[in-house]
């Protein structure tokens, strides 16, 4: 009896594992064609400044409509794109697309609006990345000062001297460098002084937990290091109010807007904390 049960458990485990592998394999095959089939779309989510009373940045968030119908989340397909190297052409597409959407975003939020783009480590490690990035911006006639590059801590924790030097180069050329999801993963405080970054995005988990001493310590530290701060994942007015009290100035989250196609973004010019 026990043996039989063990075997059936094994079977369940085994099929679900294979199912996942099959899904992944399908993604991998289908992702190869996402660009030529025009299946990618960029949504944008505003980052609102309480100090300036306006939207100061919009973050580009990638969506894949597999076979033009099934929406696959970036958490699912970005890792596949990274493993296969497809993140390189996909990343180039993202950069070109944000350049093309910039005029529309400027009409909505004013000429000073900037766009934040997520950059994966594979892109940053590509020796031609900076050249192509500059090339695309030149072709689309967009200045580097309009672009924030969001890197994650996995990029930033690398000791690779090349990565640090490419971040330095990018910064010298006028890009803003943001450290995304700060406080999750393998973060270390020394990173903040070691890396050439301009900005940290405090991970949503800190906003959800809402521990005032921790949030206060984070902003105090960032200010002491001359780093700008964005709080991620604000979902209600109360979270916003409390973060404003604690000294936070830039906010992103569903409370302000869900990620949306550029043409559908809200104005947000009526907003104020309580
Ligand atoms: P991220 O860069 O940290 O982006 C923020 C994520 O939080 C987005 O998920 C966004 O939809 C979600 N979010 C924003 N506000 C709220 C909120 O108030 N509550 C909750 N629960 N969630 C909120 P999304 O769009 O699914 O993207 C997931 C991740 O995929 C991104 O995290 C980023 O790391 C990656 N990603 C997205 N687009 C790209 C891309 O073009 N290139 C690369 N390399 N990675 C990308
Ligand atoms: Mg991001
Ligand atoms: Mg983030
Ligand atoms: Mg995040």
């Amino acid at each position: 009896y026990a043996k039989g049960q063990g075997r059936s458990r094994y079977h369940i485990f085994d099929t679900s594992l294979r199912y996942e592998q099959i899904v992944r394999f399908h993604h991998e095959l289908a992702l190869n064609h996402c660009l030529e089939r025009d299946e990618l779309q960029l949504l944008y989510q505003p980052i609102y400044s309480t100090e300036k009373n306006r939207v100061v940045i919009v973050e580009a968030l990638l969506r894949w409509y597999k076979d033009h119908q099934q929406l696959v989340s970036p958490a699912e397909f970005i890792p596949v794109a990274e493993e296969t190297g497809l993140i390189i052409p996909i990343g180039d597409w993202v950069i070109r697309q944000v350049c093309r959407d910039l005029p529309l975003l400027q009409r909505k939020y004013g000429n000073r609006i900037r766009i934040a783009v997520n950059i994966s480590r594979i892109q940053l490690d590509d020796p031609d990345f900076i050249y192509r990035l500059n090339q695309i911006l030149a072709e689309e006639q967009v200045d580097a000062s309009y672009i924030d590059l969001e890197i994650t801590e996995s990029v930033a924790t690398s000791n690779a001297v090349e990565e640090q030097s490419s971040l330095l180069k990018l910064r010298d050329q006028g890009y803003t460098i943001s450290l995304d999801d700060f406080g999750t993963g393998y973060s270390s405080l020394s990173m903040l002084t070691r890396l050439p970054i301009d900005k940290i995005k405090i991970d949503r988990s800190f906003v959800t937990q809402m521990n005032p001493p921790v949030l206060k310590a984070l902003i105090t530290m960032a200010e002491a290091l001359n780093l700008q701060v964005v709080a991620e994942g604000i979902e209600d007015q109360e979270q916003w109010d409390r973060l404003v009290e604690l000294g936070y100035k830039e906010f992103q989250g569903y409370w302000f807007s869900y990620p949306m196609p550029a043409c559908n973004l809200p104005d947000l010019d009526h907003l104020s904390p309580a």
Side-chain angles (χ1 to χ4, degrees), residues 69-80:
Q69 34 189 331
Q70 184 199 352
L71 175 61
V72 187
S73 88
E76 228 178 295
F77 75 85
I78 297 283
V80 179

Side-chain angles (χ1 to χ4, degrees), residues 27-165:
H27 280 354
E28 208 177 299
L29 277 181
L31 204 57
N32 271 301
H33 306 288
C34 69
L35 287 168
E36 65 201 58
R37 290 185 188 160
D38 202 18
E39 293 173 341
L40 298 179
Q41 186 193 12
L42 282 183
L43 300 183
Y44 292 94
Q45 190 180 30
I47 298 174
Y48 183 86
S49 162
T50 308
E51 211 176 28
K52 294 181 177 148
N53 255 303
R54 63 182 181 89
V55 175
V56 283
I57 306 165
V58 282
E59 178 173 4
L61 295 162
L62 191 56
R63 296 292 179 265
W64 176 31
Y65 293 91
K66 190 179 175 182
D67 303 321
H68 292 282
Q69 34 189 331
Q70 184 199 352
L71 175 61
V72 187
S73 88
E76 228 178 295
F77 75 85
I78 297 283
V80 179
E82 288 176 340
E83 273 172 37
T84 55
L86 281 168
I87 194 68
I88 301 288
I90 290 175
D92 286 358
W93 180 89
V94 168
I95 291 159
R96 194 176 294 279
Q97 194 59 43
V98 302
C99 290
R100 292 184 177 172
D101 286 336
L102 181 61
L104 179 57
L105 294 163
Q106 286 180 315
R107 280 199 292 283
K108 190 154 285 213
Y109 296 125
N111 288 332
R112 288 164 299 173
I113 191 72
R114 302 207 309 270
I115 304 184
V117 183
N118 292 286
I119 300 294
S120 100
R121 169 183 207 145
I122 311 289
Q123 289 172 276
L124 206 60
D125 282 348
D126 170 10
D128 292 331
F129 173 68
I130 298 184
Y131 172 81
R132 283 201 322 278
L133 174 67
N134 287 329
Q135 185 70 29
I136 295 169
L137 263 69
E139 283 166 13
E140 302 296 330
Q141 303 185 347
V142 169
D143 194 82
S145 62
Y146 286 102
I147 308 291
D148 285 17
L149 301 173
E150 296 195 358
I151 60 166
T152 54
E153 291 185 14
S154 70
V155 170
T157 42
S158 157
N159 288 317
V161 177
E162 305 87 63
E163 271 171 14
Q164 286 195 41
S165 81

